Amino acid sequence: MHKKSENKKAPLQDQSNQPKKKPGGQPGHSLRDKANQWWYFLDNPEVPPDNNQAERSLRLAVTKRKVSGGSRSMERFQHTANLLTVVQTCRRQGRSVIDFFAQAIIADSNNYQSRPSLLPQY
């Protein structure tokens, strides 16, 4: 008969001098640590409590990408992003997109020093 081999476990190492790991999966800690960020909009009414405006701003670009199948080159992607930025900015400012592009084309073709700007006029 064979003797049963004894399973000897390695002795536990002293872990008192090792850095403690941050417990994972505890959302209470994360919420408490970032409470000033989570509730910032309560003290600052000009900041919306959601990101709906950002989501709506992206909708045009996402729809265009889905319909066209995306861009085939990085250069084309950048041109499209620039055009969509102009369109969205004009819309948010209540300006005519067509008028803006017409002014930009006229200024460029006549080598005007001043070009139309998307910066808001205060």
Side-chain angles (χ1 to χ4, degrees):
M1 295 208 164
H2 297 287
K3 286 185 179 179
K4 288 186 178 178
S5 62
E6 295 180 24
N7 290 338
K8 293 185 179 181
K9 294 183 180 178
L12 293 175
Q13 295 176 354
D14 180 23
Q15 296 180 358
S16 61
N17 62 352
Q18 294 182 357
K20 300 217 183 242
K21 291 182 181 177
K22 202 170 190 181
Q26 295 184 8
H29 290 289
S30 178
L31 286 174
R32 185 179 59 237
D33 294 344
K34 297 183 181 184
N36 61 336
Q37 293 173 12
W38 279 94
W39 308 115
Y40 184 81
F41 70 93
L42 293 175
D43 295 327
N44 301 281
E46 69 277 4
V47 176
D50 56 36
N51 70 341
N52 290 344
Q53 183 60 46
E55 295 287 339
R56 281 193 291 275
S57 294
L58 291 173
R59 186 173 297 142
L60 179 64
V62 170
T63 302
K64 191 231 174 279
R65 185 186 71 223
K66 284 183 177 181
V67 169
S68 70
S71 299
R72 305 225 186 273
S73 71
M74 190 51 130
E75 182 181 12
R76 178 68 180 157
F77 171 80
Q78 190 60 52
H79 290 312
T80 302
N82 292 341
L83 289 172
L84 292 175
T85 297
V86 171
V87 170
Q88 291 296 90
T89 302
C90 286
R91 285 181 178 174
R92 291 197 70 205
Q93 292 177 358
R95 296 167 64 179
S96 167
V97 176
I98 300 297
D99 287 347
F100 180 87
F101 280 119
Q103 291 169 10
I105 290 169
I106 290 168
D108 187 60
S109 64
N110 293 325
N111 292 321
Y112 292 163
Q113 291 297 321
S114 67
R115 312 268 169 125
S117 174
L118 291 173
L119 297 176
Q121 305 298 316
Y122 293 105

